[in-house]
Amino acid sequence: MSVLVDKNTRLLVQGITGGEGTFHTRQMIEYGTNVVAGVVPGKGGQKFDDSVPIFNTVDDAVRETGANAAAIFVPPPFAADAIMESADAGVAVIVTITEGVPTMDMVTVKAFLDARGTQMVGPNCPGVISPGRCKIGIMPGFIHQEGRVGVISRSGTLTYEAVKQLSDLGIGQSTCIGIGGDPIIGTNFTSALKLFNADPETDAVVMIGEIGGTAEQEAAAYIKNEFNKPVVAFIAGQTAPPGRRMGHAGAIISGGEGTAAEKMQALREAGAHVCESPATLGITMQKALA
Amino acid sequence: MKIHEFQAKEILRKYGVAVPEGKVATSAAEAEEVAKSLGTPVVVVKAQIHAGGRGKGGGVKIAKSPKEAGELAGKMLGMQLVTHQTGPEGKEVHRVLVEQGLDIAHEYYIGIVLDRSNGKLVFMASTEGGVEIEKVAAETPDKILKEWVDPVAGLRPAQARKLAFGLGLSGDAFKNATKFLHSLYNAYVKTDASLAEINPLVVTKSGDVLALDAKMNFDDNAMFRHKDYAELRDLDEEEPLEVEASKFNLNYIKLDGNVGCMVNGAGLAMATMDIIKLAGGEPANFLDVGGGANVETVENGFRIILSDKHVKAVLINIFGGIVRCDRVANGVIQAAKNVKIDVPLVVRLEGTNADEARELLQKSGLELKVASSLEDAASKVVAALA
């Protein structure tokens, strides 16, 4: 088993004919993801790479192909509308890759999704992968290995770093979820941990947080009270200055809140194995599993 | 994006938020003219820099005549204003805001921010006007009133009333305050703000409610629908190297250390800074070169990093996922040939075709150290400082 995506995932791609959409759809198909549809308004009836049917609306795509997941590669000004279109069509899992969605748009989107119970990952994220089963996103598939450790992260390349450390030690992954680096995201650490807690094929979780917000502290409270599997954690930005946005829209220490130190402390108190160095994530997990 | 107080007030005024009459001035003579035109017995001269705490640093003064306003402005303009947010070197004052003096009865605090834990905007109000909200939150959290706004309903009149009652207002002040709150919410949403802070909000003896100070930040991601805000950016307030980097679409933040770093991805860039520190060095910057990491971006990255004279060694850390490492290696080699690099360079490439990349680097004839892991990279670059 895995969380969010598996062999039964039938993916539709919004923005399939754009530069990013085209490139990564090909990569996803190559990895083995079942891409059943593309959605591009005005290009309905065409085919992507002579094989994947393109529809004008998500409604059409879902009705014709039974798509149950969406990947969004739509540019920022139109991303919120694309997300809500998929949610409205009843798509269960939405993965939004787009970086740069305005926060006020996400305020609306979040309320819209919450009202429908739609699970979204992102925006501004690398996506979700269940190694050997399904990849929705832009992560390099080959660094992953099938296995029993879940990964949750706000970052992209830092996640790849962690995954590679795990794979190099022969520790495979059940599912890796890049939750995204924005202030408002669909799936946060706590909701991702809940999914892994309920997954009998996940034995432990690597959690990679960063400065900004209090999502890691909320996750720590959940880990302390309810999560019953080992957690290995790293928080990026121990050396980040306050008041500065470190690349990700959500990575900012404001009003003294959101520092790496307070997050590490909360996670330690919750019983997580907290790594000071990003280079020790793999080895720490190896010890935690022993 | 941050803007000045006078700019925030001009924007707020457009949205019907009450602000004092006033105008910005760049010379003593101009300030005197503005004071004259205001015609109030007292005017306030306020230095316009982005940092807070201006009053304590001598950046806010009261003048009893237009002539005095001119004199005060003359002293303020060109001074290095030091506040707790500027650092010891301070910020040079290029503009002053000259405003009507008000007959203040009481000062309050009003702010709107995003509550990241639930994705909703939250109004914060406090009777402790003029005090930093972080201080109030730490010392007397019960003095902060909060109202979360449902995006579908917007700020409901009942919420505005609750806040105004909570501040103890009545009569005209109450009515004016609820109107103020609605206008402020409207301004926040329409401008894609990321922060609106009115500290203090004042109630005058005649019951008027105005923003005596105003701080607004905007969401960088929403700039595509506010193209006119680009001109509000004040490059004098920004680190010159960061301005230069932004021209090349590089995400660079200058820090105080001596190890320059160039990384792809924001999370990995922060983690790289952290591991440099753990290895005993101090990071000189944050630099995310993004997904491409081609010759041009690496070359520009080198130029920016090396313009900081404190940099004594440079670490390149690239995780090639979709980007092939051998391509990145060629980019690094080409860039290193084009830019004169006079400090030790450590390169760590991991991911797709990493072995080929290492071989390319080793055979390049360039004086660089190739690192195999994140830890190896950090210890090599710190060792190179010695």
Side-chain angles (χ1 to χ4, degrees), chain B residues 9 11 26 37 40 89 93 171 186 205 218 228 253 262 295 299 364:
Chain B
K9 283 178 169 169
I11 289 171
T26 52
S37 69
T40 49
E89 70 284 2
V93 179
N186 190 33
K205 287 182 180 147
F218 299 119
D228 50 325
I253 292 171
M262 194 179 331
V295 184
E299 205 176 306
S364 68

Side-chain angles (χ1 to χ4, degrees), chain A residues 125-186:
Chain A
C125 80
V128 181
I129 183 168
S130 282
R133 294 163 173 151
C134 178
K135 159 180 147 164
I136 304 181
I138 60 173
M139 67 289 276
F142 76 94
I143 57 170
H144 298 82
Q145 248 176 44
E146 287 182 54
R148 303 180 58 90
V149 168
V151 177
I152 314 169
S153 171
R154 276 168 75 177
S155 154
T157 46
L158 181 56
T159 316
Y160 311 161
E161 175 76 43
V163 166
K164 180 152 194 314
Q165 285 177 29
L166 292 172
S167 295
D168 283 353
L169 292 168
I171 303 170
Q173 304 92 42
S174 55
T175 304
C176 303
I177 311 173
I179 59 173
D182 277 0
I184 300 181
I185 50 177

Side-chain angles (χ1 to χ4, degrees), chain A residues 23-24 27 76-78 99-108 110-111 114 135 138-143 154-158 160-162 164-165 168 181-184 188 210-214 218 234-241 243-252 254-256 276-280, chain B residues 1-2 114-121 134 149-152 185 188-194 217-225 239 242 251-255 263-275 277-278 282-283 285-286 288 317 319-322 348 350-354 358 373-375:
Chain A
F23 180 82
H24 290 291
Q27 297 269 324
F78 319 108
E99 175 177 2
V101 183
T103 302
M104 284 312 301
D105 290 7
M106 284 308 302
V107 169
T108 308
K110 179 148 177 43
D114 286 351
K135 159 180 147 164
I138 60 173
M139 67 289 276
F142 76 94
I143 57 170
R154 276 168 75 177
S155 154
T157 46
L158 181 56
Y160 311 161
E161 175 76 43
K164 180 152 194 314
Q165 285 177 29
D168 283 353
D182 277 0
I184 300 181
N188 59 21
E210 62 190 31
I211 56 161
T214 54
E218 287 147 27
F234 173 74
I235 306 292
Q238 296 168 55
T239 49
R244 302 303 311 271
R245 212 169 282 286
M246 308 300 280
H248 290 153
I252 181 167
S254 49
E276 299 229 326
S277 162
T280 58
Chain B
M1 188 179 96
K2 292 181 180 177
L114 172 73
D115 183 343
R116 291 168 60 159
S117 65
N118 58 17
K120 287 183 176 142
L121 296 183
E134 289 85 4
V149 182
D150 183 314
V152 179
Y185 175 75
Y188 188 104
V189 172
K190 294 273 170 61
T191 61
D192 279 291
S194 55
N217 294 350
F218 299 119
D219 177 6
D220 293 328
N221 284 349
M223 282 302 139
F224 64 82
R225 48 188 178 215
E239 163 64 41
E242 292 175 14
N251 208 329
Y252 170 91
I253 292 171
K254 193 177 175 303
L255 303 168
V263 188
N264 67 331
L268 190 60
M270 278 189 273
T272 304
M273 287 158 44
D274 294 346
I275 200 165
K277 172 94 175 177
L278 282 171
E282 287 288 342
N285 65 278
F286 167 95
D288 173 11
N317 183 20
F319 197 107
I322 301 297
R348 185 259 181 162
E350 192 50 83
T352 318
N353 294 359
R358 278 180 217 127
S373 70
L374 198 48
E375 202 150 22

Side-chain angles (χ1 to χ4, degrees), chain A residues 107-124:
Chain A
V107 169
T108 308
V109 166
K110 179 148 177 43
F112 193 90
L113 297 181
D114 286 351
R116 284 162 182 75
T118 309
Q119 182 98 43
M120 181 177 77
V121 176
N124 190 13

Side-chain angles (χ1 to χ4, degrees), chain B residues 177-250:
Chain B
T178 55
K179 179 177 178 289
F180 186 99
L181 292 171
H182 282 291
S183 303
L184 185 63
Y185 175 75
N186 190 33
Y188 188 104
V189 172
K190 294 273 170 61
T191 61
D192 279 291
S194 55
L195 171 80
E197 201 172 46
I198 309 300
N199 191 19
L201 170 91
V202 298
V203 173
T204 65
K205 287 182 180 147
S206 52
D208 291 328
V209 174
L210 301 98
L212 194 64
D213 197 359
K215 183 175 169 185
M216 282 189 97
N217 294 350
F218 299 119
D219 177 6
D220 293 328
N221 284 349
M223 282 302 139
F224 64 82
R225 48 188 178 215
H226 304 284
K227 297 222 162 65
D228 50 325
Y229 289 177
E231 66 189 48
L232 300 179
R233 192 171 162 199
D234 183 354
L235 297 182
D236 287 336
E237 290 284 339
E238 297 177 33
E239 163 64 41
L241 277 179
E242 292 175 14
V243 175
E244 187 65 20
S246 69
K247 287 181 195 158
F248 304 112
N249 283 323
L250 292 174

